[in-house]
């Protein structure tokens, strides 16, 4: 079992040109017009194993949302959040899960799946408990396969007129170990 280590960080930016595309909390309209006001994450956790890398971003329990709320209040004061669908804007608490996997065909390729959702209903006012307990940006990646170790060369069979059962059993054992190692490595790379 690998250890998950966490540390507080500066609040991440979100969006297409940022490290994280999706936000933790958004003040938004249903149809996303005008564009939402968003905040990122301020805590990063990582775990690194022999076959995977795991990183997640979250909001720390004591998050004050000062910058985010000042942007929301400014938009409200200046009529900047008039939804085009004639509905009131709301706070949306989001989680994002990204899984990346390496595949082995004749070449190594990488595939990534992203799912986005929410654990809590939208709210008219910011709910700090929902924000700090219901938002997460999780990234799980399998590491690329490593080259299989080369099996020890099998000694060439000796040709002699007499049958040596000890030498024959050693050759059989060497082949058995080499074939088992090969299948074990291939299985671990595929699964």
């Amino acid at each position: 079992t690998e250890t998950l280590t966490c540390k507080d960080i500066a609040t991440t930016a979100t969006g297409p040109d940022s490290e994280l595309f999706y936000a933790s909390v958004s003040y938004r309209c249903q149809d996303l017009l005008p564009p939402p006001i968003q905040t990122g994450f301020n805590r990063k956790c990582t775990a690194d194993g022999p076959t995977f890398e795991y990183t997640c971003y979250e909001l720390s329990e004591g998050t004050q949302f000062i910058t985010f709320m000042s942007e929301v209040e400014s938009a409200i004061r200046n009529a900047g959040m008039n939804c085009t669908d004639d509905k009131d804007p709301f706070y949306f608490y989001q989680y994002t899960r990204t899984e990346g996997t390496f595949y082995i065909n004749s070449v190594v390729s990488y595939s990534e799946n992203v799912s986005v959702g929410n654990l809590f209903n939208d709210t008219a006012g910011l709910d700090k408990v929902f924000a700090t307990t219901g938002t997460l940006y999780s990234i799980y990646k399998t590491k690329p396969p490593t080259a299989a170790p080369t099996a020890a060369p099998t000694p060439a069979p000796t040709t002699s007129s007499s049958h040596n059962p000890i030498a024959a059993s050693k050759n059989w054992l060497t082949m058995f170990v080499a074939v088992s190692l090969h299948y074990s490595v291939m299985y671990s790379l595929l699964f």
Side-chain angles (χ1 to χ4, degrees), residues 92-132:
F92 182 72
Y93 312 93
Q94 181 168 296
Y95 70 82
T96 304
R97 187 181 82 208
T98 302
E99 293 180 50
T101 307
F102 284 91
Y103 293 96
I104 305 169
N105 297 330
S106 51
V107 267
V108 175
S109 61
Y110 183 73
S111 173
E112 192 170 85
N113 296 313
V114 178
S115 60
V116 178
N118 59 315
L119 298 174
F120 299 114
N121 291 332
D122 310 329
T123 58
L126 177 66
D127 186 315
K128 290 183 180 181
V129 173
F130 284 10
T132 57

Side-chain angles (χ1 to χ4, degrees), residues 31-147:
D31 62 2
L32 300 177
L33 291 173
I37 298 168
Q38 302 178 328
T39 190
F41 299 88
N42 61 9
R43 188 166 171 80
K44 180 179 182 178
C45 301
T46 58
D48 195 10
T51 59
F52 71 92
E53 294 174 9
Y54 178 74
T55 304
C56 69
Y57 297 86
E58 59 188 11
L59 290 168
S60 65
E61 197 172 313
T63 301
Q64 296 301 310
F65 302 97
I66 294 169
T67 303
F68 173 64
M69 288 308 297
S70 112
E71 290 176 22
V72 168
E73 289 164 7
S74 175
I76 292 169
R77 266 193 318 273
N78 299 316
M81 284 304 285
N82 292 331
C83 298
T84 59
D85 59 5
D86 294 327
K87 296 190 177 167
D88 291 332
F90 54 88
Y91 290 89
F92 182 72
Y93 312 93
Q94 181 168 296
Y95 70 82
T96 304
R97 187 181 82 208
T98 302
E99 293 180 50
T101 307
F102 284 91
Y103 293 96
I104 305 169
N105 297 330
S106 51
V107 267
V108 175
S109 61
Y110 183 73
S111 173
E112 192 170 85
N113 296 313
V114 178
S115 60
V116 178
N118 59 315
L119 298 174
F120 299 114
N121 291 332
D122 310 329
T123 58
L126 177 66
D127 186 315
K128 290 183 180 181
V129 173
F130 284 10
T132 57
T133 61
T135 62
L136 183 73
Y137 202 114
S138 171
I139 305 165
Y140 179 88
K141 293 181 181 181
T142 59
K143 289 184 176 178
T146 56

Side-chain angles (χ1 to χ4, degrees), residues 14-28:
T14 58
D17 297 326
S18 303
E19 179 183 359
L20 303 178
F21 186 81
Y22 297 102
S24 60
V25 181
S26 301
Y27 183 69
R28 57 174 275 191

